[in-house]
């Protein structure tokens, strides 16, 4: 890219004969213009073997989205990026470099700074910040620091060559969070393997490999700003970086340091209160007042006092020595499991925390870059909408007006109109004291020709983590889902058939091993829209019997299907004891995690388990009358046709594969059709005749 930089005419690499004459501005010179920063998270850093930029649910960044970032008041965009998974035999794919260039150009052409980093990408560098014997997530391994450094140098030489002509608005960042995945094995650093001076020497080597590669390509890269990360990007490890700071052939002033800021109890902790500390829903004076235990204040990490102390330490350690600091990632999750006034207090607390944090960062020579993932479910960080296919609206809509405005105020920008807090609170109202609670979940698939999943997930903690005392799980639920919409036939431009099934799942142990069992695939376990029913799943019913039950991390229900719409109300999930009694694991006092095609709210249930009058009731889909007889090898359907005409019958398994299909002439009135099958298990039988459509789950013998 050629253009006018802040400090005059910037020539391309071929025109730059002397870096001394045409050096790009130093970090302290561009820092004041970098302003408020934003991350295009969960996109360009998604490893190529996990689907690349769209693999985690976000669309590829387009012009409307990047313009919305600028319009929101951001002036720096961090682009987390994968490289190793887009390389073959050490060479980065040319098409991938072009894709990254597309995003960089969108950012810079909107007048913003772009920070292009090397993200986790399978941990090829991040998980191996040691030389020789050390630990990664697989256990004790051997890693050659020289080999990793050589790969680091090779990749950055290729990246820097691609972008050599860009002006100071493009900044490179050596890594992401080096060493953050060190396993928990009783080490010196809060249980992790210690990050000491010996490991800092290795990290310094990796950073210098990046800087050396960039400088070697000449042109504007000879003095381009390069950002280097503290160990694990933890503030308390930043003294190691300061004392062993990487050397730069360009001389002093052309690098920045990087830390991340997620005060755990306030920002990330979601698994429940622990003996060592509680989750912080609230912050300082933004609190209900009667829940000090869940309020971040005083000297707690993330409080005003701790923010000021930590950030002023970074200032004296780096900025005062000519090295501005980038907070490459910062944020706090939205705890949408809260309801009513508690949710409102929490959302106000988040907004106040963001505002105070970025104001303190600005005061201390730090560039704060908020983390944004694109998702809008429980635990999200999202400020600018991307996933319109999932959440509706338009690309660029502001989903968290109050948080954005609190940060804009810190940078002297006018407040934007809107109210995100009341909208979320209205979706999650308080339940009157004394009434039982449940969760009403609405399922609606977005596509018509592929399977989608709606997830209700409960993260377990404390005593709930031990499910070994039970012999299975009981779920109490009511509702109805139909597999006839959002569209019903080929004439609507979508598939002819819809199907649905539900599985109970759990994840256990340190490896989060996955186990699942069918729930609503069994003929005697159909949903009932008019009354609650209980469904029991024993451990032996799982496809693979669960292990590590004394260390259960999560349980939940997945509704799979195509063309699915409907609602289900869940009263509770309970553990079944050997004597047949049950103990409640979760009765939805707070909303569980909802993902995919599932959205929902906590609702009041009266004494009989019916939904209270103040809650939204499920909409019952029109029922179809079809009698089905199942015998080994055959399925017979009897139905009534309003008029004579051609009809079709299809038998599908729950993977959407056709087992048998037949076209036949139906008479007005009673009809029957027989299909053949050597398949055993759950299936869907669909009969269509004229405008009539019948669908029923069957259990093939």
């Amino acid at each position: 890219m050629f253009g006018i930089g802040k400090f005059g005419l910037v020539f391309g690499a071929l025109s730059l004969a002397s870096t001394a004459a045409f050096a790009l501005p130093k970090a302290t010179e561009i820092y004041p213009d970098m302003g408020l920063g934003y991350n295009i998270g969960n996109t360009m850093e998604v490893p190529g073997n996990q689907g690349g930029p769209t693999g985690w649910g976000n669309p590829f960044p387009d012009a409307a989205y990047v313009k919305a970032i600028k319009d929101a008041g951001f002036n720096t965009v961090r682009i987390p990026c994968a490289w190793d998974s887009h390389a073959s035999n050490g060479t980065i794919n040319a098409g991938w470099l072009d894709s990254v260039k597309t995003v960089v150009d969108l950012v810079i052409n909107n007048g913003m700074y772009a920070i292009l980093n090397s993200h986790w990408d399978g941990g090829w560098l991040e998980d191996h910040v040691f030389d020789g014997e050390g630990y990664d997530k697989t256990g004790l391994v051997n890693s050659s620091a020289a080999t990793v450094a050589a790969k680091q140098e090779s990749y950055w030489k290729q990246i820097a060559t691609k972008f050599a002509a860009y002006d100071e608005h493009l900044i490179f960042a050596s890594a992401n969070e080096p060493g953050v995945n060190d396993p928990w094995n009783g080490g010196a650093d809060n249980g992790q393997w210690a990050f000491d001076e010996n490991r800092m020497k290795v990290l310094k080597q990796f950073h210098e490999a990046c800087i050396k590669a960039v400088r070697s390509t000449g042109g504007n890269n000879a003095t381009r700003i390069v950002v280097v990360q503290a160990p694990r990007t933890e503030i308390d490890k930043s003294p190691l970086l300061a004392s062993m700071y990487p050397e730069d052939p360009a001389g002093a002033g052309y690098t920045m340091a990087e830390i991340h800021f997620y005060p755990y109890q306030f920002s990330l902790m979601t698994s429940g209160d622990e003996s060592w500390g509680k989750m912080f829903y609230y912050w300082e004076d933004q609190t209900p007042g009667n829940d000090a235990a869940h309020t971040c204040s005083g000297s707690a990490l993330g409080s005003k006092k701790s923010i000021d102390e930590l950030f002023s330490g970074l200032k004296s350690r780096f900025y005062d020595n000519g090295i501005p600091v980038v907070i490459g990632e910062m944020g706090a999750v939205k705890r949408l499991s809260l309801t009513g006034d508690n949710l409102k207090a929490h959302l106000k607390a988040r907004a106040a925390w963001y505002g105070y944090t970025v104001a303190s960062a600005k005061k201390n020579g730090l560039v704060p870059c908020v983390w944004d993932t694109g998702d809008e479910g429980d635990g999200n960080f999202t400020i600018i909408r991307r996933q319109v296919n999932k959440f509706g609206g338009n690309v660029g809509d502001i989903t968290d007006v109050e948080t954005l405005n609190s940060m804009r105020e810190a940078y002297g920008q006018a407040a934007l109109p809107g109210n995100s807090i009341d909208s979320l609170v209205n979706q999650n109202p308080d339940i009157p004291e004394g009434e039982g609670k449940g969760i009403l979940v609405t399922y609606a698939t977005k596509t018509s020709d592929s399977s989608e999943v709606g997830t209700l997930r409960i993260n377990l903690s404390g005593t709930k983590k031990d499910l070994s005392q039970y012999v299975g799980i009981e779920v109490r639920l009511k509702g109805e889902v139909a597999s006839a919409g959002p569209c019903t036939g080929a004439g609507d431009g979508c598939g002819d058939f819809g199907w649905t099934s539900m599985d109970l799942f759990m994840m256990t142990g340190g490896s989060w091993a996955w186990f699942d069992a069918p729930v609503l695939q069994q003929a005697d376990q159909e949903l009932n829209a008019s009354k609650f029913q209980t469904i029991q799943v024993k451990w032996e019913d799982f496809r693979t019997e669960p292990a590590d039950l004394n260390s259960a991390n999560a349980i939940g229900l997945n509704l799979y299907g195509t063309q699915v719409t409907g609602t289900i109300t869940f009263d509770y999930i309970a553990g079944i004891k050997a004597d047949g009694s049950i103990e409640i694991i979760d009765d939805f006092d707070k909303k569980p995690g909802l993902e995919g095609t599932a959205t929902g709210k906590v609702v009041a249930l009266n004494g009989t388990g019916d939904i209270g009058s103040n809650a939204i009731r499920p909409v019952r889909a029109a029922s179809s009358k079809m009698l089905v007889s199942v015998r080994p090898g055959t399925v017979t359907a009897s139905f009534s046709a309003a008029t004579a005409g051609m009809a079709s019958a299809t038998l599908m398994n729950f993977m959407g594969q056709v087992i048998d299909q037949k076209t036949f002439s139906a008479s007005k009135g009673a009809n029957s059709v027989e299909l053949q099958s050597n398949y055993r298990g759950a299936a869907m039988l669909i009969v269509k005749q004229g405008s009539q459509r019948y669908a029923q789950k069957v259990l093939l013998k």
Side-chain angles (χ1 to χ4, degrees), residues 138-390:
T138 65
L140 191 63
V141 298
N142 277 279
S143 179
S144 166
T147 300
V148 174
K151 180 184 279 192
Q152 168 87 327
E153 183 176 350
S154 173
Y155 284 160
W156 276 110
K157 186 171 291 187
Q158 295 171 60
I159 299 164
T161 299
K162 180 73 173 180
F163 295 99
Y166 282 59
D167 69 15
E168 70 271 12
H169 286 86
L170 178 60
I171 296 168
F172 292 147
S174 171
N176 176 49
E177 295 176 339
V180 78
N181 288 318
D182 288 344
W184 294 84
N185 60 0
D189 296 339
N190 295 320
Q192 284 184 288
W193 186 35
F195 208 112
D196 54 18
E197 288 188 0
N198 287 329
R199 295 186 68 192
M200 186 61 226
K201 290 178 183 177
V202 175
L203 181 55
K204 181 173 183 277
Q205 181 181 356
F206 293 169
H207 288 329
E208 289 178 345
C210 169
I211 297 170
K212 174 184 175 183
V214 172
R215 302 295 180 235
S216 72
T217 60
N220 291 341
N221 288 330
T223 52
R224 184 176 309 285
I225 303 302
V226 178
V227 182
V228 294
Q229 294 68 36
R232 303 187 187 127
T233 56
E234 293 176 355
I235 295 179
D236 63 356
K237 294 296 178 196
S238 64
L240 273 176
L241 176 65
S243 65
M244 304 176 68
Y245 201 77
E247 295 181 9
D248 184 357
Y254 295 102
T255 62
M256 293 182 174
E258 181 177 352
I259 57 91
H260 293 176
F261 192 54
Y262 295 112
Y264 182 71
Q265 288 172 261
F266 182 73
S267 290
L268 299 174
M269 187 176 177
T270 58
S271 60
D273 294 340
E274 299 286 356
S275 58
W276 52 264
K278 298 183 182 296
M279 294 185 291
F280 291 151
Y281 306 130
Y282 316 114
W283 185 76
E284 298 291 351
D285 61 341
Q286 298 294 329
T287 176
N290 59 353
D291 198 357
H294 292 103
T295 300
C296 180
S297 61
S299 59
L301 184 62
S303 67
K304 289 181 178 180
K305 179 180 179 182
S306 77
I307 290 169
D308 289 339
E309 289 177 351
L310 290 170
F311 288 5
S312 64
L314 290 170
K315 179 179 184 296
S316 62
R317 202 169 293 131
F318 295 103
Y319 185 82
D320 291 347
N321 293 301
I323 305 171
V325 178
V326 175
I327 305 180
E329 297 176 17
M330 57 160 281
V333 296
K334 296 188 188 85
R335 301 179 185 276
L336 301 182
S337 60
L338 297 171
T339 60
D341 290 342
N342 288 337
L343 177 58
K344 190 170 188 175
H346 162 66
L347 295 173
K348 286 184 175 181
R350 285 183 72 256
W353 178 85
Y354 272 86
Y356 192 90
T357 301
V358 301
S360 182
K362 180 173 179 284
K363 181 177 67 176
N364 286 288
L366 283 64
V367 180
C369 299
V370 297
W371 185 245
D372 193 309
T373 61
D375 184 61
E376 296 179 35
D378 188 27
N380 80 80
F381 296 86
T382 298
I383 294 173
I384 300 175
R385 176 162 290 153
R386 287 185 263 173
Q387 299 181 18
V388 295
N389 288 338
K390 184 175 181 181

Side-chain angles (χ1 to χ4, degrees), residues 49-110:
N49 56 11
Q50 295 184 31
T54 61
W56 292 351
N58 286 313
F60 192 90
D62 62 10
Y65 170 56
V66 177
K67 183 178 184 300
I69 297 172
K70 176 66 174 180
D71 291 345
F74 297 99
N75 209 43
T76 294
V77 176
R78 183 172 179 262
I79 307 171
C81 199
W83 302 105
D84 189 56
S85 60
H86 295 281
S88 299
N89 299 318
T91 300
I92 301 170
N93 182 279
W96 178 243
L97 283 165
D98 287 340
S99 294
V100 176
K101 180 180 182 299
T102 297
V103 181
V104 170
D105 288 348
L106 285 171
V107 171
I108 293 178
N109 289 340
N110 273 279

Side-chain angles (χ1 to χ4, degrees), residues 129 147 502:
V129 188
T147 300
M502 180 176 283

Side-chain angles (χ1 to χ4, degrees), residues 625-629 636-639 685 696:
K625 301 297 182 184
M626 177 172 64
L627 299 177
V628 178
S629 174
T636 302
S638 300
F639 66 98
L685 176 62
Q696 186 170 320

Side-chain angles (χ1 to χ4, degrees), residues 639-644 667-671:
F639 66 98
S640 178
T643 60
S667 304
K668 181 178 180 179
N671 290 271

